[in-house]
Amino acid sequence: MEVADCERLATRGAGTHPEHAAKATSQSASASGGPRIPHARTARGALPLASGVVSRLVFAVIGLGLVAIVAIGLTQSRGGDAPPARTISTTEAQERLAGAPPALAALHEQANELLPGGMDAFEARLEELRGHPVVVNGWASWCGPCRAEFPFLQKASVDLGKQVAFLGLDTEDNDGDAAGFLERFPVTYPSYTIPRIPSGTDLGAVRGLPFTAFYDAEGELQYLHQGGYASQEQLDADIQRYAIGADA
């Protein structure tokens, strides 16, 4: 049989599959004394290499994703800028505030409530509290620094609640979000809700939240602290200096 006849038979036997065609061509070339061309072997050898590269890339991407997830989890486990809620239990607060003067006891009975009436009701309450130093904290549920300093106010309002009146002003907020905030950070005093701080009042100079205002026992504003407190010690020092100490 001639070489050309062998090539035609090999091609028909291999069909149209590329690998078979390449094998037949290689066999034909060998029979004719030509060089052997390893087409199929080269193609098969390249596949594991490409597959290995893809696999390494996939595992690298998955690894990066796991690192990101772990990092996020660690950040969340630290709590970010959200301080621990409820630093003092309700029972402990009630026990420690028992026997407070009537005007201060009335505040404690409205603990954690949102009171209507706006600025007029707030100023009327200040009049009722004459004879006691007053600390007023302005806050809102969306305010990050407010969340950061609220545990300090929780503790101070219990430690000093039989001597100093505490009030809140919830402003530029909505009642639903504000109530949720107070559920997380309960305090021993009520907050009055107002749309915004009027410019023609003692607090008209306020620029942003939070703020803390200190009144002496005569109802005079002694100091307006704008921004959040960074520590319990700083807040306690200002209460002593501008509220309690102003009457010494």
Side-chain angles (χ1 to χ4, degrees):
M1 181 180 293
E2 297 295 329
V3 173
D5 294 331
C6 291
E7 289 179 345
R8 284 195 296 273
L9 288 174
T11 302
R12 284 199 297 270
T16 57
H17 195 286
E19 182 178 340
H20 293 167
K23 183 176 181 181
T25 303
S26 177
Q27 291 173 344
S28 173
S30 177
S32 62
R36 186 183 299 273
I37 304 173
H39 292 104
R41 186 159 52 243
T42 302
R44 284 198 299 271
L47 287 174
L49 177 62
S51 178
V53 172
V54 172
S55 298
R56 286 195 294 273
L57 288 174
V58 169
F59 282 118
V61 171
I62 292 173
L64 289 174
L66 289 174
V67 169
I69 291 171
V70 171
I72 291 170
L74 290 173
T75 301
Q76 291 176 341
S77 69
R78 296 189 191 104
D81 66 347
R86 196 179 295 276
T87 57
I88 299 175
S89 71
T90 302
T91 301
E92 180 185 354
Q94 291 173 341
E95 291 174 351
R96 292 178 59 184
L97 294 173
L104 303 187
L107 290 176
H108 304 154
E109 291 174 1
Q110 295 176 313
N112 232 37
E113 292 185 17
L114 292 171
L115 303 180
M119 205 67 184
D120 290 341
F122 165 72
E123 291 179 339
R125 193 64 173 269
L126 284 181
E127 287 295 322
E128 294 175 9
L129 292 169
R130 289 278 184 124
H132 303 281
V134 181
V135 175
V136 177
N137 178 251
W139 62 276
S141 62
W142 46 261
C143 167
C146 300
R147 291 191 297 273
E149 73 170 3
F150 238 65
F152 308 146
L153 291 155
Q154 288 175 318
K155 187 175 187 305
S157 66
V158 174
D159 291 345
L160 302 171
K162 295 171 72 172
Q163 182 182 4
V164 178
F166 287 80
L167 280 173
L169 279 180
D170 175 41
T171 182
E172 300 181 28
D173 210 350
N174 68 74
D175 288 352
D177 290 343
F181 180 94
L182 290 175
E183 184 176 350
R184 176 172 169 77
F185 301 98
V187 286
T188 62
Y189 53 87
S191 293
Y192 287 89
T193 60
I194 58 175
R196 61 185 57 83
I197 304 295
S199 59
T201 66
D202 287 344
L203 303 178
V206 165
R207 296 293 181 270
L209 295 173
F211 67 84
T212 305
F214 301 85
Y215 293 83
D216 63 20
E218 300 301 317
E220 297 295 325
L221 178 64
Q222 294 295 317
Y223 176 58
L224 178 61
H225 177 88
Q226 300 197 72
Y229 278 94
S231 70
Q232 187 73 55
E233 292 72 22
Q234 290 179 351
L235 173 61
D236 291 347
D238 278 357
I239 294 174
Q240 290 292 337
R241 180 178 182 181
Y242 298 112
I244 298 173
D247 299 311

